[in-house]
Amino acid sequence: MAIALATKNVNEGLGGPFGAVIVRDGEVLAAEANSVTRTNDPTAHAEVNAIRAACAKLQSFQLEGCDVYTSCEPCPMCLAALYWSRCRTVFYGNTAKDAAEAGFDDSFLYDEIRLPAAQRSMPAEQMLSEEAIASFEAWRTSAQRIDY
């Protein structure tokens, strides 16, 4: 189903060649394709779209017990989102190498993540740390806090 979504997405000119399906207990909760170029949203990868749809359906920010079927090995952003959502297992068709050969090379992201923030190609500098810590202090003491 994920592969069919990916192929249909390309054939119908809707976006990139990526599809993702989220299933729990045999029920398809979400089946989504990549919509980056259609929606002008660089985070609208198939897996992220499917996570959003499944969470909305379940009215939950966690997808425990869910399996994800993707047309391709998830990129670093999608893999992180899948971990945050607490999905159980990811099954994928194409590899990251296959994606790179098709023009979707994420290897530079893996390289960047390994570097200290100050050495990455996109400059990152900490500022206002004493002010910023107030947000975490508020979180630690919040009666409305929902851990995740």
Side-chain angles (χ1 to χ4, degrees):
M1 186 183 293
I3 295 166
L5 279 168
T7 305
K8 179 181 177 185
N9 208 43
V10 173
N11 289 339
E12 293 184 3
L14 298 173
F18 303 96
V21 177
I22 298 179
V23 177
R24 186 171 71 182
D25 299 327
E27 177 189 358
V28 173
L29 300 175
E32 299 289 333
N34 175 289
S35 62
V36 169
T37 55
R38 184 168 27 94
T39 61
N40 296 315
D41 179 353
T43 69
H45 290 199
E47 296 90 339
V48 172
N49 289 344
I51 289 167
R52 290 174 179 157
C55 286
K57 182 171 185 171
L58 295 175
Q59 297 183 351
S60 174
F61 58 86
Q62 293 187 347
L63 297 174
E64 291 176 342
C66 292
D67 297 314
V68 182
Y69 298 85
T70 69
S71 61
C72 186
E73 184 176 2
C75 75
M77 176 186 70
C78 293
L79 184 60
L82 291 164
Y83 273 103
W84 276 116
S85 70
R86 310 287 199 276
C87 287
R88 180 172 55 194
T89 309
V90 177
F91 301 95
Y92 60 90
N94 292 308
T95 66
K97 183 178 183 284
D98 297 328
E101 291 172 357
F104 299 94
D105 190 356
D106 297 327
S107 62
F108 80 97
L109 292 172
Y110 290 104
D111 294 340
E112 288 285 302
I113 288 169
R114 288 186 196 100
L115 295 173
Q119 293 178 15
R120 295 179 185 150
S121 62
M122 180 188 302
E125 181 179 334
Q126 184 179 18
M127 59 184 283
L128 302 175
S129 61
E130 290 180 23
E131 292 87 344
I133 201 70
S135 301
F136 287 144
E137 289 171 0
W139 174 256
R140 286 184 195 105
T141 61
S142 174
Q144 293 89 15
R145 182 174 89 190
I146 300 172
D147 293 326
Y148 59 96

